[in-house]
Amino acid sequence: MFAVHEAGRRARFLAKNDLFEVPVVGRALKGAGQIPVSRGSGDQTPLVEAREALERGEVVVIYPEGTVTDDPDSMPMKGKTGVIRLSLDSGVPITPIASWGSQAVWQKSGRGSVKFGRPVWVRAGPAIDFSARADEKADREALREMTAELMSALTGMVKDLRSRYPKRWTEVG
């Protein structure tokens, strides 16, 4: 992620474990220390690895939806609670980062657009600190509520970027 790189840091991403089995890609992910996630399995190992990375002062990047958006307007979808649980367990606030422009290129299905010069805008919001609610980490409803708060912040940031994005790039083609 560009913002993390510009801050002189190296990001560790949580990525679906299928990617780690793709020749060359998997080797690169492993070599870069990325964290595999077996989606839908309930395996907590990725969150343990992410917490350990945070304890070492590393940057961990999590896409709270756990996938590329399939929303027709490219808005953030419903988030999963893992990022909140990680924040509560580690005491590390969440820095929400939103982007706009890449959805035309990186799509779940269909043909993307690779027009040269397409801008991708990135915005980091203020840190969201849920540490005062650490005693609620076993409360599923509270976790969903905090996740909704995070997703609302991200959606607001995406809407702002989208509203200012150059009109000439709004067509996917």
Side-chain angles (χ1 to χ4, degrees):
M1 167 160 282
F2 182 74
V4 175
H5 174 75
E6 285 297 298
R9 308 288 299 278
R10 192 178 106 197
R12 303 242 350 241
F13 288 81
L14 274 72
K16 67 179 179 177
N17 62 349
D18 298 356
L19 294 173
F20 288 80
E21 296 173 21
V22 176
V24 181
V25 173
R27 198 173 166 120
L29 290 171
K30 289 174 192 168
Q34 305 312 325
I35 302 169
V37 177
S38 180
R39 297 191 303 188
S41 71
D43 181 12
Q44 297 300 298
T45 305
L47 290 179
V48 171
E49 285 186 45
R51 187 183 70 241
E52 290 169 354
L54 289 172
E55 288 169 356
R56 291 189 300 270
E58 297 177 40
V59 174
V60 175
V61 178
I62 300 175
Y63 291 88
E65 299 139 299
T67 189
V68 175
T69 185
D70 59 7
D71 180 84
D73 293 325
S74 299
M75 287 291 112
M77 301 180 306
K78 183 178 179 182
K80 299 185 183 307
T81 61
V83 68
I84 301 299
R85 289 183 286 128
L86 178 60
S87 178
L88 294 175
D89 281 346
S90 67
V92 175
I94 300 165
T95 301
I97 298 178
S99 68
W100 188 258
S102 62
Q103 75 282 354
V105 178
W106 190 259
Q107 298 179 1
K108 205 170 209 176
S109 64
R111 187 165 178 215
S113 170
V114 290
K115 283 185 182 175
F116 181 76
R118 178 182 301 283
V120 175
W121 289 1
V122 178
R123 176 180 169 202
I128 301 172
D129 187 356
F130 290 110
S131 62
R133 297 183 70 179
D135 60 332
E136 298 178 73
K137 64 183 172 185
D139 181 341
R140 287 184 176 194
E141 187 55 39
L143 291 172
R144 284 192 285 273
E145 180 183 301
M146 288 181 263
T147 301
E149 183 178 331
L150 170 62
M151 298 311 293
S152 177
L154 287 166
T155 299
M157 292 165 55
V158 168
K159 284 181 177 180
D160 173 62
L161 290 171
R162 181 179 70 177
S163 73
R164 298 182 292 111
Y165 196 74
K167 298 299 177 215
R168 70 177 275 219
W169 293 104
T170 57
E171 295 298 317
V172 173

